[in-house]
Amino acid sequence: MESTIKQKSIKTDDVKKVESYRWIVWSILAAVYVFVTFHRMSAGVVKNDLESTFNIGAAQFANIGAMYFYAYFIMQIPSGILADKIGPKKTVSIFSIIAAAGSVMFGMAPNLLVAYAGRFLVGIGVSVVFICLIKIQSRWFYSRNFALMIGFVGMSANLGALLAQTPLVVAVGTFGWRSTFIYMGLAMIVFAVLTVLFVKDDPKDMGLPGMDELENRPAVSSDIKVMPALKSIMSNKRTWIISLSYIGLYTGYVVLLGTFGVSYLMQAYTLEKIQAANYIMTAVVGSAISGLVIGYLSDRFKTRKIPLLATGGLTLLGWIVLIYTRMPIGMLAPFMLAFGFVMSGFTMCWTVGTEVNDRRLAGMATGVVNCIGFLGAAVVPVIMGKILDNYQATPAVGYEKAYFVLIALMAVSFTASLFTTETKGQNIYEG
C-alpha cells in the first residue's frame, strides 16, 4: 500500500517537473522565434534606407525581402525532416548561428548581391525555428491545448513584428540600419547558446514521463522513413486544401506588416514613416491578441473550420476596405486593430495541417503547409513591386493595382477554406 502511494507521489512530482520545465524549453525557442519574425518583417521599415543605399527601385527592394522567403520556402520540408529526425535542440542551435552570420553579412553588405546573400542566409537559418517550436509543443504540452499554444507562438511572432516597426525605426535612426542588423545577429548567437544549454527535445531526455505516457497514447517513434512520410503528407488532399487556404492569408499578413504596409500608409494618408509604423504596430497588437483568443475559442468549442472561415472572410473584406476606400484618419487605428485581429486566423491552418496528417509527422506536415504559404510571400511582393515601378508617376493607382493581385489570391484562399475538413480538435488521420 505504501509502495503504491509512493509511486503515485513520485509520478505526481514528475508531472509537476514536466509542467514546470516545459516553459523554460518553450520560452527559449519562442525567444528565438522573435528574431525570426523580426527579420521577416523588418524590410518594409527600412525600405527607403535600402533603396537609397543600393540605388534600387521597388521591385529590387521586394527581391531583398523575397530572398528570405525563397530560403524559407526551400527549407520547409527539410526543416520538418530535421525536427522529426535529429530533434529541435540540435536543429535550432546550428541554424541560429547560420542566421546570425547572415544578419551580420546583410548589415555589412557593400553591394546588392551581398545583401541578397545575407538575407538568403538569414532565411535559411531561421527557417527551422517555427517547425521545431511546433515539434517541441507536441512533445512537452498536452494535445488538448494545441491550438492555444499555437496562439502563444503567434504572440512570439507578433513581438518580433512589433520590434520590426516603430522600435526598428528608432534603432535605425540611432545606430543606422547596418549596425542594427549586425547587433541582431550577435544577439542570435546568445540564444543559440541558451538552446544548447537548456532545451530538451522530450521530457524523457530528463528521465521524466513523456506526453505519450501522460496522455495514455501510443508512443511516437523517431524512426521515421522520410520518403514514405512525405508521400503520406503530400498525397493527402486535405493537406493541399488547408495549404491553399493558408497561402493568401499568410501572404497578406507579410505584405501588410513586412513589405508594403508602411509605405502604402505613407502614400495613402500622407503620413511620416514613424506614424505609419505606429499604425502597423496597432495591427500587430490586434494580431497578438487574436492568436490567443482564436486558439482558446477553437480549443474550447472543438472547432477549427468556423474560426478559419470567419477570420478569412473578414480579412478579405478588410483588404477591400483598406485599399479601395479612404477612411477618416481617426478611424484608421481602430480599423487596423480589428484588421490585425482577423488577419491572424491563418494560425488555424497550422493546427489543421497537423490534425489531418499522421501525428508522428507534425514537423513535416507543418513544413509542407508553410512551404505553400512562403511561396506566396516570396512571389507576390515581387509582382507587386514590379507593378509599383510601372506606376511611379501615379503611385496611388500603382498601389491599387498591386494590391489587387493580393486580394485575388485572398479570394482563392477563402474559397479553399470552404472545403477544409472540420477536425473538432482531434487528429483525424486514418492511414
Side-chain angles (χ1 to χ4, degrees), residues 141-156:
F141 290 84
Y142 298 108
S143 56
R144 65 177 178 269
N145 300 131
F146 193 85
L148 179 60
M149 291 308 301
I150 290 286
F152 279 114
V153 172
M155 284 194 68
S156 301

Side-chain angles (χ1 to χ4, degrees), residues 248 316 319-320 324 402-415:
L316 177 59
W319 274 115
I320 294 170
Y324 297 109
Y403 272 104
F404 177 78
V405 175
L406 176 64
I407 291 170
L409 182 62
M410 271 294 311
V412 171
S413 287
F414 178 70
T415 302

Side-chain angles (χ1 to χ4, degrees), residues 220-233:
V220 173
S221 172
S222 60
D223 184 23
I224 294 169
K225 306 299 182 184
V226 173
M227 294 312 296
L230 283 175
K231 182 179 179 182
S232 169
I233 295 166

Side-chain angles (χ1 to χ4, degrees), residues 169-191:
V169 173
V170 174
V172 169
T174 304
F175 305 110
W177 74 267
R178 291 185 179 277
S179 294
T180 299
F181 282 93
I182 291 171
Y183 295 151
M184 292 300 289
L186 297 176
M188 283 201 76
I189 295 175
V190 174
F191 282 93

Side-chain angles (χ1 to χ4, degrees), residues 272-325:
E272 296 296 325
K273 181 188 289 188
I274 197 163
Q275 293 175 307
N278 282 336
Y279 283 115
I280 297 298
M281 279 186 65
T282 305
V284 176
V285 171
S287 181
I289 296 169
S290 168
L292 288 177
V293 172
I294 293 174
Y296 171 78
L297 293 176
S298 175
D299 283 341
R300 175 70 176 80
F301 294 104
K302 301 297 181 186
T303 178
R304 308 303 193 209
K305 188 170 183 175
I306 292 174
L308 181 60
L309 285 173
T311 55
L314 290 171
T315 300
L316 177 59
L317 178 62
W319 274 115
I320 294 170
V321 171
L322 179 65
I323 303 304
Y324 297 109
T325 69

